[in-house]
Amino acid sequence: MERLSWNQYFLAQSHLLSYRSTCSRLAVGATIVRDKRIIAGGYNGSIAGDEHCIDEGCYVIDGHCVRTIHAEMNAILQCAKFGVATKDAEIYVTHYPCLQCTKAIIQAGIKSVYYARDYRIHPYAAELFKKAGVHVEHVPFQPESLDIHAREKADLIEQLFKVAKEHGAGSDVLEDLLQKAESLFPGAMKKE
Protein backbone atom coordinates (compact mmCIF):
# COMPACT_ATOMS: atom_id res chain seq x y z
CA MET A 1 0.00 0.00 0.00
CA GLU A 2 1.30 3.43 -0.97
CA ARG A 3 1.45 6.03 1.79
CA LEU A 4 -0.93 8.98 1.38
CA SER A 5 0.50 12.44 0.86
CA TRP A 6 -0.49 15.04 3.46
CA ASN A 7 -2.64 16.84 0.87
CA GLN A 8 -4.55 13.66 -0.01
CA TYR A 9 -4.91 12.76 3.67
CA PHE A 10 -6.46 16.11 4.62
CA LEU A 11 -8.62 16.22 1.47
CA ALA A 12 -9.87 12.73 2.35
CA GLN A 13 -10.92 14.15 5.73
CA SER A 14 -12.77 16.98 3.97
CA HIS A 15 -14.52 14.55 1.65
CA LEU A 16 -15.61 12.44 4.61
CA LEU A 17 -16.94 15.57 6.30
CA SER A 18 -18.94 16.40 3.16
CA TYR A 19 -20.97 13.22 3.77
CA ARG A 20 -22.43 14.98 6.84
CA SER A 21 -23.74 17.84 4.68
CA THR A 22 -27.45 18.56 4.90
CA CYS A 23 -27.47 20.64 1.71
CA SER A 24 -29.27 18.93 -1.15
CA ARG A 25 -27.61 21.14 -3.79
CA LEU A 26 -23.90 20.54 -3.09
CA ALA A 27 -22.09 18.63 -0.34
CA VAL A 28 -18.92 20.43 0.80
CA GLY A 29 -16.40 19.61 3.53
CA ALA A 30 -13.55 21.64 5.01
CA THR A 31 -10.67 20.72 7.31
CA ILE A 32 -8.49 23.29 9.10
CA VAL A 33 -4.95 22.13 9.83
CA ARG A 34 -2.03 23.61 11.74
CA ASP A 35 1.38 21.93 11.98
CA LYS A 36 0.01 18.80 10.22
CA ARG A 37 -2.69 18.43 12.90
CA ILE A 38 -6.42 18.75 12.31
CA ILE A 39 -7.82 21.53 14.48
CA ALA A 40 -11.37 21.74 13.08
CA GLY A 41 -13.71 20.42 10.46
CA GLY A 42 -16.95 21.61 8.94
CA TYR A 43 -19.57 20.80 6.35
CA ASN A 44 -22.32 22.86 4.81
CA GLY A 45 -25.65 22.70 6.58
CA SER A 46 -28.18 24.54 8.69
CA ILE A 47 -27.52 26.14 12.05
CA ALA A 48 -28.00 23.90 15.07
CA GLY A 49 -31.68 23.37 15.78
CA ASP A 50 -32.99 24.65 12.43
CA GLU A 51 -34.60 22.67 9.63
CA HIS A 52 -32.26 21.04 7.15
CA CYS A 53 -32.45 21.44 3.39
CA ILE A 54 -32.57 17.66 2.95
CA ASP A 55 -35.77 17.67 5.06
CA GLU A 56 -37.48 20.94 4.08
CA GLY A 57 -35.88 21.89 0.77
CA CYS A 58 -33.47 24.71 0.11
CA TYR A 59 -34.41 28.28 1.00
CA VAL A 60 -33.07 29.96 -2.14
CA ILE A 61 -32.80 33.73 -2.60
CA ASP A 62 -30.93 35.17 -5.60
CA GLY A 63 -29.60 31.73 -6.50
CA HIS A 64 -28.17 31.00 -3.03
CA CYS A 65 -29.53 28.91 -0.20
CA VAL A 66 -29.72 31.28 2.77
CA ARG A 67 -30.38 28.42 5.22
CA THR A 68 -26.94 26.91 4.72
CA ILE A 69 -23.72 27.81 6.50
CA HIS A 70 -20.79 26.89 4.30
CA ALA A 71 -18.25 24.25 5.33
CA GLU A 72 -15.36 26.70 5.59
CA MET A 73 -17.39 29.04 7.81
CA ASN A 74 -18.52 26.15 10.02
CA ALA A 75 -14.90 25.05 10.50
CA ILE A 76 -13.75 28.60 11.31
CA LEU A 77 -16.68 29.09 13.71
CA GLN A 78 -15.82 25.80 15.41
CA CYS A 79 -12.36 27.21 16.13
CA ALA A 80 -13.90 30.42 17.49
CA LYS A 81 -16.36 28.48 19.66
CA PHE A 82 -13.62 26.42 21.30
CA GLY A 83 -10.87 29.06 21.39
CA VAL A 84 -8.57 27.50 18.80
CA ALA A 85 -6.32 29.92 16.88
CA THR A 86 -6.53 29.86 13.08
CA LYS A 87 -3.61 32.21 12.41
CA ASP A 88 -1.14 30.62 9.98
CA ALA A 89 -3.32 27.51 9.59
CA GLU A 90 -4.19 25.79 6.31
CA ILE A 91 -7.64 24.82 5.07
CA TYR A 92 -8.48 21.87 2.84
CA VAL A 93 -11.81 22.15 1.03
CA THR A 94 -13.65 19.87 -1.37
CA HIS A 95 -14.54 22.89 -3.57
CA TYR A 96 -13.01 26.31 -4.25
CA PRO A 97 -14.29 28.74 -1.58
CA CYS A 98 -17.04 31.22 -2.44
CA LEU A 99 -16.44 34.95 -2.10
CA GLN A 100 -17.86 35.19 1.44
CA CYS A 101 -15.82 32.21 2.66
CA THR A 102 -12.75 33.69 0.97
CA LYS A 103 -13.16 36.82 3.09
CA ALA A 104 -13.60 34.77 6.28
CA ILE A 105 -10.54 32.64 5.48
CA ILE A 106 -8.41 35.75 4.98
CA GLN A 107 -9.73 37.44 8.14
CA ALA A 108 -9.10 34.25 10.15
CA GLY A 109 -5.41 34.46 9.22
CA ILE A 110 -5.39 31.18 7.31
CA LYS A 111 -2.27 31.16 5.12
CA SER A 112 -3.02 28.37 2.60
CA VAL A 113 -6.07 26.99 0.82
CA TYR A 114 -6.02 23.57 -0.84
CA TYR A 115 -9.11 22.61 -2.80
CA ALA A 116 -10.10 19.56 -4.83
CA ARG A 117 -12.66 20.91 -7.33
CA ASP A 118 -13.12 24.13 -9.22
CA TYR A 119 -16.58 25.46 -8.44
CA ARG A 120 -17.82 28.88 -9.47
CA ILE A 121 -14.49 30.59 -8.87
CA HIS A 122 -15.32 34.23 -8.31
CA PRO A 123 -12.62 36.46 -9.87
CA TYR A 124 -12.73 38.81 -6.88
CA ALA A 125 -12.15 35.87 -4.49
CA ALA A 126 -9.05 34.91 -6.45
CA GLU A 127 -7.92 38.55 -6.41
CA LEU A 128 -8.46 38.85 -2.65
CA PHE A 129 -6.46 35.69 -1.95
CA LYS A 130 -3.63 37.05 -4.07
CA LYS A 131 -3.68 40.48 -2.39
CA ALA A 132 -3.69 38.87 1.06
CA GLY A 133 -0.77 36.58 0.17
CA VAL A 134 -2.81 33.43 0.77
CA HIS A 135 -1.37 30.42 -1.04
CA VAL A 136 -4.15 28.76 -3.08
CA GLU A 137 -3.56 25.39 -4.71
CA HIS A 138 -5.78 23.06 -6.69
CA VAL A 139 -5.07 19.49 -5.56
CA PRO A 140 -7.07 16.93 -7.56
CA PHE A 141 -8.48 14.51 -5.04
CA GLN A 142 -7.82 10.80 -5.48
CA PRO A 143 -11.00 9.11 -4.23
CA GLU A 144 -9.20 5.79 -3.93
CA SER A 145 -7.41 7.31 -0.94
CA LEU A 146 -10.64 6.72 0.99
CA ASP A 147 -10.43 2.99 0.22
CA ILE A 148 -7.30 1.29 1.53
CA HIS A 149 -8.00 -1.71 -0.71
CA ALA A 150 -8.58 0.23 -3.96
CA ARG A 151 -5.41 -1.06 -5.65
CA GLU A 152 -6.18 -4.67 -4.74
CA LYS A 153 -9.75 -4.30 -6.03
CA ALA A 154 -8.53 -2.82 -9.31
CA ASP A 155 -6.03 -5.70 -9.68
CA LEU A 156 -8.82 -8.23 -9.08
CA ILE A 157 -11.02 -6.60 -11.70
CA GLU A 158 -8.13 -6.72 -14.20
CA GLN A 159 -7.73 -10.45 -13.51
CA LEU A 160 -11.46 -10.97 -14.02
CA PHE A 161 -11.24 -9.14 -17.36
CA LYS A 162 -8.48 -11.49 -18.49
CA VAL A 163 -10.53 -14.55 -17.53
CA ALA A 164 -13.63 -13.14 -19.27
CA LYS A 165 -11.60 -12.46 -22.42
CA GLU A 166 -10.11 -15.97 -22.36
CA HIS A 167 -13.62 -17.42 -22.07
CA GLY A 168 -14.89 -15.55 -25.12
CA ALA A 169 -16.53 -12.41 -23.76
CA GLY A 170 -17.20 -10.05 -26.66
CA SER A 171 -15.23 -6.86 -27.09
CA ASP A 172 -18.41 -4.75 -26.77
CA VAL A 173 -19.22 -6.36 -23.40
CA LEU A 174 -15.63 -5.98 -22.21
CA GLU A 175 -15.51 -2.32 -23.30
CA ASP A 176 -18.76 -1.57 -21.42
CA LEU A 177 -17.43 -3.27 -18.27
CA LEU A 178 -14.08 -1.50 -18.62
CA GLN A 179 -15.83 1.89 -18.72
CA LYS A 180 -17.77 1.03 -15.56
CA ALA A 181 -14.57 -0.16 -13.83
CA GLU A 182 -12.76 3.02 -14.89
CA SER A 183 -15.52 5.14 -13.33
CA LEU A 184 -15.04 3.25 -10.04
CA PHE A 185 -11.23 3.32 -10.19
CA PRO A 186 -10.18 6.42 -12.21
CA GLY A 187 -6.73 5.94 -13.70
CA ALA A 188 -6.22 2.54 -12.05
CA MET A 189 -7.40 0.32 -14.88
CA LYS A 190 -4.81 -0.71 -17.45
CA LYS A 191 -6.16 -0.68 -21.00
CA GLU A 192 -4.82 -3.37 -23.29
Side-chain angles (χ1 to χ4, degrees):
M1 180 173 83
E2 189 176 319
R3 189 174 186 204
L4 280 178
S5 70
W6 284 113
N7 283 347
Q8 290 301 311
Y9 172 73
F10 294 127
L11 280 174
Q13 298 294 322
S14 295
H15 278 81
L16 285 173
L17 282 162
S18 76
Y19 284 102
R20 289 283 306 152
S21 172
T22 61
C23 178
S24 55
R25 298 175 73 202
L26 181 68
V28 179
T31 304
I32 301 178
V33 174
R34 191 176 51 247
D35 299 324
K36 302 290 186 236
R37 300 288 179 260
I38 296 171
I39 60 172
Y43 51 87
N44 56 333
S46 302
I47 63 167
D50 194 17
E51 294 87 13
H52 296 288
C53 296
I54 56 174
D55 298 327
E56 300 291 325
C58 291
Y59 183 8
V60 178
I61 298 175
D62 295 330
H64 298 282
C65 180
V66 296
R67 178 176 287 142
T68 301
I69 299 173
H70 290 187
E72 303 93 325
M73 194 67 74
N74 263 333
I76 291 168
L77 291 171
Q78 187 179 83
C79 287
K81 186 176 187 177
F82 295 106
V84 178
T86 53
K87 185 175 181 341
D88 295 328
E90 302 170 322
I91 190 166
Y92 290 80
V93 192
T94 56
H95 297 74
Y96 191 94
C98 73
L99 180 56
Q100 297 307 318
C101 288
T102 294
K103 293 175 189 179
I105 288 166
I106 292 167
Q107 287 300 99
I110 293 172
K111 66 178 181 179
S112 297
V113 175
Y114 300 93
Y115 69 98
R117 292 187 200 116
D118 292 331
Y119 181 75
R120 298 183 182 176
I121 299 175
H122 196 288
Y124 189 51
E127 181 184 332
L128 287 175
F129 277 141
K130 188 174 181 178
K131 281 181 180 178
V134 174
H135 172 78
V136 178
E137 186 175 335
H138 176 243
V139 179
F141 179 61
Q142 298 163 350
E144 62 274 12
S145 67
L146 293 174
D147 182 353
I148 61 171
H149 298 292
R151 182 67 254 159
E152 292 87 350
K153 290 176 183 177
D155 289 344
L156 175 62
I157 290 173
E158 285 182 32
Q159 292 172 2
L160 292 171
F161 271 107
K162 287 179 185 174
V163 170
K165 192 174 185 179
E166 290 169 4
H167 285 83
S171 60
D172 56 335
V173 170
L174 289 173
E175 183 59 35
D176 183 50
L177 290 173
L178 182 63
Q179 287 176 0
K180 290 176 182 173
E182 180 64 32
S183 71
L184 289 172
F185 304 100
M189 301 307 300
K190 297 174 191 152
K191 295 183 181 178
E192 295 182 3

